[in-house]
């Protein structure tokens, strides 16, 4: 089956259940511009929100949010924040330990596209994705431009296709 056929099948799935987790020690629902942006984009695409939360970059809190998203039946889980290399950035290690089937192409493509925006600083990103059970996890940096890039160029165009593949 061609990519176009797979995408067409994915688009016929309808609303996708998505969980959104912002990892930040300082953001609130009022100041979470990434969360607000993604919630609006998901609503415009007519997807359902299984969970929205903000957690500090503490491994236990990140795992609790992940488990809550899985328990809520999220088909797709979007994490933003905590993917850098600072000592407080533990989200990558925490989530990577739970990924059953990595999707390395997401991080590779994200860094390639990010390079066009920020130059060599793109190598500092540890954006990642993978499958956990019957859900797809994406972890992206917390900068607003990075979230927009990941959503608009990589995640949104393939969302139905990815969920469709997991449902087979």
């Amino acid at each position: 089956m061609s990519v176009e056929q797979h995408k067409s099948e994915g688009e016929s799935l309808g609303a996708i259940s998505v969980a959104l987790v912002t990892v930040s020690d300082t953001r609130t629902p009022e100041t979470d511009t990434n969360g607000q942006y993604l919630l609006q984009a998901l609503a415009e695409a007519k997807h359902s929100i299984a969970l929205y939360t903000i957690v500090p970059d503490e491994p236990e809190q990140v795992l609790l949010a992940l488990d809550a998203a899985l328990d809520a039946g999220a088909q797709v889980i979007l994490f933003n924040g905590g993917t850098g290399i600072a000592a407080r950035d533990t989200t990558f290690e925490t989530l990577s330990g739970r990924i059953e089937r990595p999707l390395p192409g997401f991080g590779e493509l994200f860094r390639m596209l990010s390079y066009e925006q920020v130059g060599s600083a793109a190598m500092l990103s540890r954006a990642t994705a993978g499958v956990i059970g019957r859900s797809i996890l994406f972890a992206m940096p917390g900068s607003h431009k990075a979230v927009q890039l990941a959503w608009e160029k990589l995640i949104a165009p393939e969302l139905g296709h990815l969920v469709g593949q997991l449902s087979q």
Side-chain angles (χ1 to χ4, degrees), residues 37-38 41-42 78 147-157 159:
Y37 165 78
L38 288 168
L42 291 164
L78 305 176
V147 169
Q148 285 179 307
L149 173 72
W151 174 256
E152 293 173 9
K153 299 290 186 184
L154 299 172
I155 300 169
L159 203 57

Side-chain angles (χ1 to χ4, degrees), residues 10-18 42 45-49 75 159 163:
E11 290 169 6
S12 69
L13 295 174
I16 294 170
S17 177
V18 181
L42 291 164
K46 298 185 176 29
H47 297 307
S48 64
I49 307 301
Q75 296 167 286
L159 203 57
V163 171

Side-chain angles (χ1 to χ4, degrees), residues 92-161:
F92 174 82
E93 288 81 10
T94 302
L95 295 175
S96 293
R98 293 284 300 274
I99 290 175
E100 297 163 6
R101 289 179 285 166
L103 295 171
F106 172 74
E108 294 162 359
L109 287 169
F110 176 82
R111 285 180 283 280
M112 180 191 76
L113 293 170
S114 184
Y115 179 80
E116 295 170 3
Q117 291 182 347
V118 299
S120 59
M123 78 172 121
L124 301 176
S125 168
R126 297 186 300 157
T128 192
V131 176
I132 300 174
R134 309 275 301 158
S135 301
I136 302 162
L137 166 82
F138 291 96
M140 60 197 109
S143 83
H144 193 62
K145 283 188 176 185
V147 169
Q148 285 179 307
L149 173 72
W151 174 256
E152 293 173 9
K153 299 290 186 184
L154 299 172
I155 300 169
E158 294 296 328
L159 203 57
H161 184 197

Side-chain angles (χ1 to χ4, degrees), residues 18-24 50-74 76-80 91 94-95 98 132 135 137:
V18 181
L20 171 58
V21 180
T22 295
V23 179
S24 173
L51 171 82
Y52 166 61
T53 191
I54 300 171
V55 298
D57 198 345
E58 297 288 343
E60 303 81 23
Q61 295 296 312
V62 170
L63 287 176
L64 284 172
L66 174 61
D67 289 338
L70 293 167
D71 290 345
V76 175
I77 306 167
L78 305 176
F79 274 83
N80 73 92
T91 301
T94 302
L95 295 175
R98 293 284 300 274
I132 300 174
S135 301
L137 166 82

